[in-house]
Amino acid sequence: MSGRSFSYATEAFEFIEGLENLVTPQDVINAVEKSFGIFGFENFIITGLPNPRESFEQVVLLKKWPVGWFNIYAKEDYVRVDPIIRLCRTTVQPFEWSEAPYDRASEPQAAEVMDRATDFRMKEGFCLPIHGIQGYEACFSMSGAHLDLSPQKKPALHLMAMYAFERARQLLKPSPYNGSGLLTPREREALTWAAAGKSAADTGEILGITERTVTAHIASACQKLEAANKTQAVARALQFKLIGL
Amino acid sequence: MTQVHIITHDNEHLHRDKLEQYFRLRHEIFVKERGWLDLKRPDAREVDSYDNKNTIYLLAIDQDRIVGGQRLYPTLLPHMISEVFAPMAERGIPSARHIFEWTRYLVVKERRMGRTDCRLLAALQQFCLEEGVTEVTAVVEMWWLPRWQQAGFKVRPLGLPSMIEGQACIAASIQISQDSLDHVRRLAGLRGSCLVRDPRISPILDRIPHVAA
């Protein structure tokens, strides 16, 4: 192993151990700013991915973004068309912004987000998607005007970003997150089996509870999702990504 | 109702069919679904040299059907991190009587949205706490890290991530603790133990062959 990559490893492990001692969200922002600056990053955001009923501002955990850009991004609701956010939802691998596909001709809004970001020196970037337990989705996206992301640096960056995300999550406890907080685990389980074509009786057998209890979970899920019946509840739960197939 | 059963050398003669199911599921998931072709075998059973009389299996079983599984192996013996993944543990390979390696974790496809993951994670913490295991080591795909952390696991990286079969993976050590067990149970709304005890199984720390230091 070369001396060069060794120094990034040391930096990464020291950064991770240092996170333990941080007490406030601002401490995390300062630590990330300092350590990620070494890689050329100037701005970053750690945010949950909003479901259709949440706004962007509601799900942001930590940010060091130019104020002007944050205001534009929120006002234009760019989170719905941002190709970086879109790729985050479908991959677990970290990626460079330039790897997030969009079509300039048919997706002018996607092009607009990427273009306007460069007005704020956010030309190049690196993004780490987070797919947590029980449907929690988030990302850590960072950018700079001149990045130098050699293959030796990326593993250190990947690891540091994951631990920084976790520390931010612990300190801010994003709860109740709508994805997992809206429905209880039992309600999600009952809907998942309904989506798989199982009756309440079948589901009761699978989960080891009575049919009546299953029906009660479904009824409660219908109420929370403002659904008229089980079919609509399943459709909404899939749409909001509260359950999967 | 899904419960996690412990299978060791002491009781495997009673659970051959369960182990066979687990081996076939490993082939199904790791070879066919994930594409780890090095593990491919003509009989469609994924079995390796760490499946032997020292292995402990924790299998999630629902009405005779395996829905998830994982295995533990003593780190005092040559194990996967020491023999295969040593370069991934540049900060040192934890190895002691009370440290086990945790491998071949799986959940069947249709149970990945439910609580089976949490049940398996809780069973791991509970089993280790009861047996006096203080730490487990594992090689895991990086995207699993936040899932463990959200489940309340305390994870220390043993090195930087490296690419295995196109996926960034890391060698890590997980501290066993009552806090982590409580956390994952709370997260999934699991009340009480989901581990089925078999009196035939002798304490695992007593079973480890003594190896000269």
Side-chain angles (χ1 to χ4, degrees), chain A residues 12-58:
Chain A
F13 300 136
E14 277 172 9
F15 173 79
I16 289 166
E17 266 145 35
L19 286 170
E20 287 287 316
N21 305 320
L22 305 182
V23 183
T24 67
Q26 187 61 46
D27 293 341
V28 180
I29 293 180
N30 296 343
V32 169
E33 190 177 358
K34 181 167 162 278
S35 292
F36 286 61
I38 299 167
F39 299 89
F41 294 109
E42 299 165 26
N43 298 299
F44 65 89
I45 191 158
I46 299 179
T47 180
L49 305 189
N51 70 35
R53 300 202 303 181
E54 286 172 316
S55 72
F56 174 58
E57 296 99 307
Q58 268 177 297

Side-chain angles (χ1 to χ4, degrees), chain B residues 30 97 105 158 165 167:
Chain B
F30 296 119
R97 186 162 164 263
Y105 177 97
L158 298 177
E165 304 273 2
Q167 285 273 348

